[in-house]
Amino acid sequence: MAVLVRVWDAPTRLFHWALSLCVVGLFVTSQVGGTAMDWHFRFGYGVLTLLLFRFVWGLSGGHWSRFSTFVVPPLLIWRYLQGQANPQDCVGHNPLGALSVVTMLALLSLQVASGLISDDEIAAAGPLVRFVSSTWVGNATFYHKEIGKFILLGLVALHLGAIAFYYFRKHDDLVTPMITGDKSVPIQAPSARDGRPERRRAGLIFLACAALVSSLVIGLNG
């Protein structure tokens, strides 16, 4: 019999949807340009805050949100692709989904880092531009505008395609659990703690990350 398990705690779910909105905002403002670049930077600082939170929450959050439960070795990914994965390997992120998450977090971190030292030589310059050489600025700007953005767009498209594939071909709904937090699984599995203490702790962690980013931005911008 299927068992209903709290897989995604509320902080993880809020992180996911907030990050999605920020990524959409980043893309839209990058295409508009002009005064919209002020919002581009705000969305970028929002992504930086969310990433910092996720890295901390990946070490101390709900059971299935922790890196230790879903970052798997390549052999396990290969077994999953061959249809040989164990059911417990797919309660949270399946091995392929876990690879996608880690890749997305890494590429978003690189995109934010390159944005901090990018300069379009018109009106928008990252707050760390003055601390690095012109060569670094040029390379970072090229990557941020011409490479990183399109890699991320491709990864987002792949992510959406995978969701559709799992829903229509494998009859596995990946979206609803990220809304409700609960997932029906074929085995007994531990539920993520998702009570008021955990949510309060997550809120404090997020506020600390936001305060850190805000203080750095204010300090760098004078």
Side-chain angles (χ1 to χ4, degrees):
M1 293 179 61
V3 180
L4 197 63
V5 175
R6 175 54 55 98
V7 174
W8 306 124
D9 52 54
T12 299
R13 302 195 310 268
L14 288 172
F15 160 82
H16 178 274
W17 296 114
L19 184 65
S20 299
L21 289 174
C22 283
V23 169
V24 171
L26 281 170
F27 177 72
V28 171
T29 52
S30 71
Q31 298 303 109
V32 174
T35 57
M37 290 304 295
D38 291 336
W39 277 101
H40 187 76
F41 277 99
R42 292 181 186 123
F43 281 122
Y45 298 140
V47 170
L48 177 56
T49 301
L50 289 168
L51 289 174
L52 288 175
F53 167 79
R54 187 63 182 92
F55 292 140
V56 176
W57 199 242
L59 300 174
S60 61
H63 178 80
W64 300 105
S65 299
R66 296 192 180 195
F67 298 131
S68 59
T69 62
F70 71 84
V71 176
V72 297
L75 180 60
L76 195 56
I77 298 174
W78 177 247
R79 284 175 52 194
Y80 174 77
L81 291 173
Q82 292 183 313
Q84 299 176 359
N86 296 319
Q88 61 264 28
D89 296 329
C90 302
V91 175
H93 292 298
N94 63 55
L96 200 58
L99 177 62
S100 174
V101 169
V102 172
T103 303
M104 180 73 77
L105 292 176
L107 288 174
L108 279 171
S109 299
L110 184 57
Q111 189 71 0
V112 170
S114 62
L116 293 173
I117 57 174
S118 291
D119 186 357
D120 66 1
E121 299 182 346
I122 301 175
L128 298 181
V129 165
R130 65 180 182 272
F131 298 108
V132 297
S133 68
S134 58
T135 300
W136 273 95
V137 171
N139 291 336
T141 303
F142 178 76
Y143 174 84
H144 191 80
K145 295 176 62 177
E146 306 296 338
I147 300 178
K149 178 173 71 174
F150 296 105
I151 291 177
L152 282 172
L153 286 175
L155 192 58
V156 169
L158 185 62
H159 181 68
L160 295 175
I163 290 174
F165 173 80
Y166 274 87
Y167 184 81
F168 291 108
R169 294 295 298 273
K170 293 195 171 187
H171 307 291
D172 187 1
D173 182 2
L174 301 179
V175 176
T176 300
M178 193 54 74
I179 297 175
T180 66
D182 298 326
K183 183 178 181 181
S184 181
V185 298
I187 60 171
Q188 289 288 342
S191 290
R193 291 184 177 180
D194 194 22
R196 288 186 179 180
E198 288 75 26
R199 296 180 183 188
R200 189 180 302 115
R201 181 163 55 88
L204 292 174
I205 292 172
F206 178 80
L207 289 176
C209 293
L212 176 61
V213 172
S214 297
S215 62
L216 288 175
V217 171
I218 293 173
L220 290 170
N221 290 330

